[in-house]
Amino acid sequence: MSTPSTSAAAADAAAAHPTNQRGLGKQQRRRLAAFDFDHTIVSQNTDTVVRDMLPNELVSSCALADLMENECWTEYMAEIFRLLYAQQVPEARIRDTIRCIPEVPGFVRLIKHLQKKLNFDLIIISDSNSVFIDEWLRAHNLSDCFNAIFTNPAEFNEHGQLLVRAYHRQTDCKLSASNLCKGRVLEHFVIEQDLRYNIRYDHVFYVGDGNNDICPVLRQRACDFACARQGFAMEKHLIKNRNKLKLRAHLLIWRNGFDLLEQICVLPQLQGPPSQAHNLDANCKAEIGRRASAVAAAAAAGPSDPVE
Ligand SMILES: [Mg+2]
Ligand SMILES: [Zn+2]
């Protein structure tokens, strides 16, 4: 995998994080939690909150509606940011607006607890952008909790216009938008951790709420956990199509960060340190074996696709 669009803050965090030190010493068995951002960590959609800083008549214009139709969210947002710049909305106001979005109750605590007390590795995979996510995490003292942040790269240019690019371009996955397949990102991260740092994840938790969180959980193993927000699209879709989708992971339904943390803390799989193979059920051991062969095959085939 080529370099992800890891934000500066996350890159610092990754550099400071012992699990990301290069070197293939003894194999480490760890746990990973991957989070969506909008409506999962923060209680609103960062893009639409910022879009709503524009006058109504601009938001409902035909040009924007056309962009929305053609399905590339980053192109739509690039136009929103261009209009904000044309309306002379300053960078500082946009940053203030992002900082003021409340957390989904309990998520700041959940993230800190998973990282500091339960020793999880944490990542974010989000269709928002690096400027919004960095801004919000910094304001909530969470920047150094994450090993990596995978999102659409963005920056303010010297005139104060926010520029955003697609994370990647993909057409393989029909479940995902063309600019971000979260399932592919998650798989690449897990494989890269193994190949580069000799870190294996006994359990991967994926926490989300939306339709673009379906793809990653369908790629999870039987020893993993798909954590879907109650009453939101991801949960509804998974439950409605349960048999057809063949979800292998355990399904956890959560209402907020407090109850998700409670559910995680009492899981029998998490009692005792990771790496105790006898804690894993037989299915899981077989699955880990299969993934390990896949990883070895990927390594033999050389670096993966150059799209990202
Ligand atoms: Mg979401
Ligand atoms: Zn996908």
Side-chain angles (χ1 to χ4, degrees):
M1 186 167 87
S2 56
T3 312
S5 59
T6 313
S7 64
D12 290 348
H17 201 292
T19 64
N20 276 4
Q21 283 165 13
R22 201 181 169 84
L24 287 173
K26 191 169 170 288
Q27 188 186 72
Q28 288 185 58
R29 309 296 290 262
R30 299 181 60 84
R31 297 154 181 155
L32 174 70
F35 292 88
D36 166 52
F37 192 66
D38 292 336
H39 290 294
T40 293
I41 293 176
V42 294
S43 65
Q44 286 165 288
N45 181 311
T46 42
D47 284 336
T48 54
V49 165
V50 168
R51 179 188 65 189
D52 293 344
M53 297 170 80
L54 284 171
N56 273 340
E57 59 274 18
L58 271 182
V59 176
S60 51
S61 75
C62 297
L64 272 180
D66 285 350
L67 271 176
M68 184 76 121
E69 291 271 294
N70 81 18
E71 253 187 27
C72 187
W73 184 250
T74 39
E75 281 168 26
Y76 175 78
M77 286 312 299
E79 180 60 12
I80 296 283
F81 299 148
R82 195 190 65 73
L83 290 170
L84 283 163
Y85 175 69
Q87 295 284 309
Q88 300 181 321
V89 177
E91 173 179 342
R93 248 192 77 210
I94 295 175
R95 290 186 180 276
D96 277 349
T97 302
I98 292 295
R99 276 197 299 273
C100 290
I101 300 175
E103 63 167 333
V104 170
F107 263 74
V108 170
R109 181 161 177 263
L110 168 72
I111 287 163
K112 287 187 170 158
H113 194 98
L114 290 180
Q115 197 243 339
K116 295 193 167 67
K117 298 281 194 324
L118 298 180
N119 216 14
F120 271 59
D121 287 345
L122 305 180
I123 61 173
I124 290 174
I125 309 175
S126 164
D127 204 7
S128 177
N129 69 66
S130 57
V131 165
F132 292 174
I133 296 175
D134 286 349
E135 187 67 40
W136 196 90
L137 292 180
R138 223 179 10 249
H140 293 78
N141 284 323
L142 294 174
S143 301
D144 62 353
C145 289
F146 291 93
N147 295 60
I149 295 166
F150 302 92
T151 187
N152 305 303
E155 61 182 341
F156 282 97
N157 69 12
E158 70 270 29
H159 308 294
Q161 181 179 348
L162 186 52
L163 305 175
V164 62
R165 286 179 290 126
Y167 175 74
H168 58 202
R169 293 276 176 211
Q170 68 90 25
T171 50
D172 298 344
C173 176
K174 305 297 175 221
L175 288 173
S176 301
S178 62
N179 66 296
L180 179 63
C181 170
K182 294 184 173 195
R184 182 154 110 193
V185 170
L186 181 60
E187 278 190 347
H188 280 197
F189 179 80
V190 168
I191 289 173
E192 191 178 40
Q193 288 290 94
D194 189 341
L195 293 180
R196 282 198 177 200
Y197 309 111
N198 211 8
I199 294 168
R200 292 261 174 105
Y201 292 112
D202 287 342
H203 304 289
V204 175
F205 291 71
Y206 184 90
V207 187
D209 73 286
N211 277 323
N212 66 356
D213 301 312
I214 300 289
C215 168
V217 301
L218 293 184
R219 301 183 190 216
Q220 287 185 299
R221 308 160 298 178
C223 48
D224 295 332
F225 295 85
C227 310
R229 187 173 187 182
Q230 188 174 65
F232 284 66
M234 179 191 187
E235 185 224 13
K236 288 180 185 162
H237 187 82
L238 287 176
I239 291 189
K240 193 170 150 213
N241 303 294
R242 199 160 195 168
N243 295 328
K244 200 168 80 191
L245 290 176
K246 300 195 171 60
L247 180 71
R248 283 170 298 217
H250 303 272
L251 181 59
L252 298 181
I253 306 295
W254 56 272
R255 294 188 311 279
N256 55 54
F258 300 112
D259 91 288
L260 180 55
L261 181 57
E262 268 172 37
Q263 292 187 63
I264 291 174
C265 283
V266 299
L267 288 171
Q269 293 92 330
L270 293 206
Q271 310 310 313
S275 86
Q276 294 183 352
H278 63 265
N279 280 344
L280 298 173
D281 61 40
N283 277 345
C284 239
K285 276 191 221 164
E287 186 102 25
I288 287 170
R290 275 199 297 278
R291 297 286 165 129
S293 322
V295 165
S304 55
D305 68 66
V307 182
E308 289 165 22

